[in-house]
């Protein structure tokens, strides 16, 4: 027996022919041409409305972005722009940036930094600029290093880690890249380990037993388990000084909050480790 063949719908072509024949019979060629002209004009108007609407929305977005930028300090604009360029360049290292990677970056600003709609308009425009930039990652990092002091550089590395650990998996290659970025920016090994320890500790916390909490506190302070009380105090003092929120307040309130969150973790770790508690 031959295989079953589905019966396809005849489509709309036959219906159009019937309508055309009726128009010719009732009103002749002029009526047919008028109707066809009206249909074509309606289609043209429909697409023009869509085009004008998209163009108008684009103008609205550009106006909102320009309006928002005019109220920001130069330091803040440069910091956010370079941050986005670095994040996009990291995403492009495999040759191209996928839609999922763009979503990760936009979600990072929306969720982690709590950006509102107006700020997200700005971020998306900066992502467009960064996606077409010929600058290399080394060039961007060199520009960042030349424009900003040590504390903003710490925040940059902090944010790169924050974005990486917003995914379910962080590869060895990504960790190696982040370490090379920290080295390029001349972040001390101690403070790099402290940053990495904070996010690694949070990421792994769900899979660990309560008995390992003490090891996580050492990681947050950039120390090896069993460090002396003197080492714990020195690490706490150094990190407290480097992450004081006032040192990055000129970059924007959201980055001040990043420093405040870091200080909460540092204080928590110190409170649990001091005096052998």
């Amino acid at each position: 027996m031959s295989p079953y063949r589905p019966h396809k719908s005849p489509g709309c072509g036959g219906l159009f022919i019937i309508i055309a024949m009726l128009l010719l019979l009732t009103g002749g060629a002029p009526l047919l041409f008028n109707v066809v002209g009206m249909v074509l004009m309606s289609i043209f108007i429909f697409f023009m409305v869509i085009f004008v609407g998209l163009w108008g929305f684009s103008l609205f977005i550009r106006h909102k972005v320009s309006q928002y930028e005019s109220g920001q300090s130069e330091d803040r604009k440069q910091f956010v722009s370079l941050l986005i360029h670095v994040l996009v360049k990291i995403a492009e290292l495999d040759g191209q940036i996928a839609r999922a990677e763009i979503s990760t970056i936009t979600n990072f600003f929306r969720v982690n930094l709590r950006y509102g709609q107006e700020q997200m308009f700005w971020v998306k425009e900066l992502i467009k600029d960064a996606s077409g930039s010929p600058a290399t990652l080394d060039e961007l990092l060199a520009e960042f290093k030349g424009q900003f002091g040590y504390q903003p550089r710490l925040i940059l590395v902090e944010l790169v880690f924050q974005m990486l650990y917003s995914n379910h998996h962080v590869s060895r290659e990504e960790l190696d890249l982040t370490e090379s970025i920290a080295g390029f920016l001349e972040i001390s090994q101690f403070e790099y380990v402290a940053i990495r320890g904070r996010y690694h500790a949070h990421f792994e916390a769900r899979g660990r037993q309560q008995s390992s909490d003490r090891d996580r506190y050492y990681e947050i302070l950039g120390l090896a388990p069993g460090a002396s009380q003197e080492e714990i105090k020195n690490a706490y003092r150094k990190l407290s000084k480097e992450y004081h929120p006032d040192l990055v307040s000129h970059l924007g309130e959201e980055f001040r909050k990043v420093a405040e969150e870091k200080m909460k973790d540092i204080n928590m770790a110190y409170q649990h480790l001091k005096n052998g508690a």
Side-chain angles (χ1 to χ4, degrees), residues 50-273:
I50 292 177
F51 172 78
V52 171
L54 292 174
W55 180 67
F57 184 70
S58 174
L59 288 180
F60 169 76
I61 296 298
R62 286 157 57 191
H63 171 72
K64 297 297 286 185
V65 168
S66 177
Q67 190 177 47
Y68 179 79
E69 282 183 332
S70 64
Q72 309 305 309
S73 69
E74 287 301 316
D75 277 347
R76 173 175 162 74
K77 286 187 286 189
Q78 280 296 104
F79 184 85
V80 176
S81 177
L82 282 171
L83 169 62
I84 289 175
H85 274 71
V86 168
L87 295 179
V88 168
K89 195 57 63 176
I90 291 172
E92 287 179 338
L93 287 177
D94 59 356
Q96 60 181 354
I97 183 167
R99 184 176 297 179
E101 291 171 315
I102 292 177
S103 294
T104 297
I105 296 172
T106 55
N107 286 339
F108 167 71
F109 280 89
R110 183 183 295 108
V111 177
N112 295 60
L113 298 183
R114 298 179 179 86
Y115 272 25
Q117 186 181 56
E118 191 173 58
Q119 292 169 308
M120 289 308 301
F121 287 153
W122 182 42
V123 167
K124 289 176 181 177
E125 287 298 307
L126 290 175
I127 290 175
K128 289 180 186 176
D129 295 341
S131 299
S133 171
T136 66
L137 181 58
D138 284 351
E139 289 171 342
L140 292 169
L141 292 174
E143 184 177 355
F144 193 96
K145 183 179 173 182
Q147 291 193 25
F148 295 102
Y150 194 72
Q151 285 75 24
R153 283 184 251 157
L154 278 176
I155 293 296
L156 174 66
V157 176
E158 183 92 17
L159 293 171
V160 170
F161 263 109
Q162 198 173 108
M163 193 190 77
L164 289 180
Y165 276 96
S166 66
N167 294 319
H168 295 296
H169 173 72
V170 180
S171 68
R172 180 72 256 172
E173 290 77 12
E174 289 173 321
L175 290 176
D176 290 344
L177 174 62
T178 310
E179 185 171 8
S180 70
I181 289 173
F184 191 99
L185 295 175
E186 298 182 355
I187 303 299
S188 73
Q189 184 65 18
F190 160 72
E191 279 165 318
Y192 169 76
V193 171
I195 297 172
R196 184 189 64 192
R198 179 190 180 200
Y199 290 99
H200 182 70
H202 283 201
F203 190 72
E204 299 292 336
R206 288 172 294 181
R208 293 183 175 182
Q209 299 297 321
Q210 189 67 23
S211 60
S212 68
D213 281 351
R214 191 173 179 82
D215 289 343
R216 294 197 295 112
Y217 298 138
Y218 282 116
E219 285 182 334
I220 289 170
L221 293 181
L223 300 171
S228 68
Q229 283 298 307
E230 187 64 27
E231 289 173 320
I232 291 170
K233 288 179 182 177
N234 287 339
Y236 173 72
R237 289 170 185 158
K238 183 173 179 60
L239 290 173
S240 297
K241 180 180 178 181
E242 297 292 359
Y243 279 94
H244 196 289
D246 288 348
L247 295 174
V248 293
S249 60
H250 62 293
L251 302 178
E253 185 61 26
E254 70 271 34
F255 302 112
R256 178 185 173 87
K257 288 180 179 177
V258 170
E260 288 175 349
E261 289 298 316
K262 175 69 175 179
M263 279 304 306
K264 286 179 184 177
D265 278 355
I266 292 169
N267 287 327
M268 177 188 68
Y270 179 65
Q271 292 302 318
H272 281 84
L273 293 177

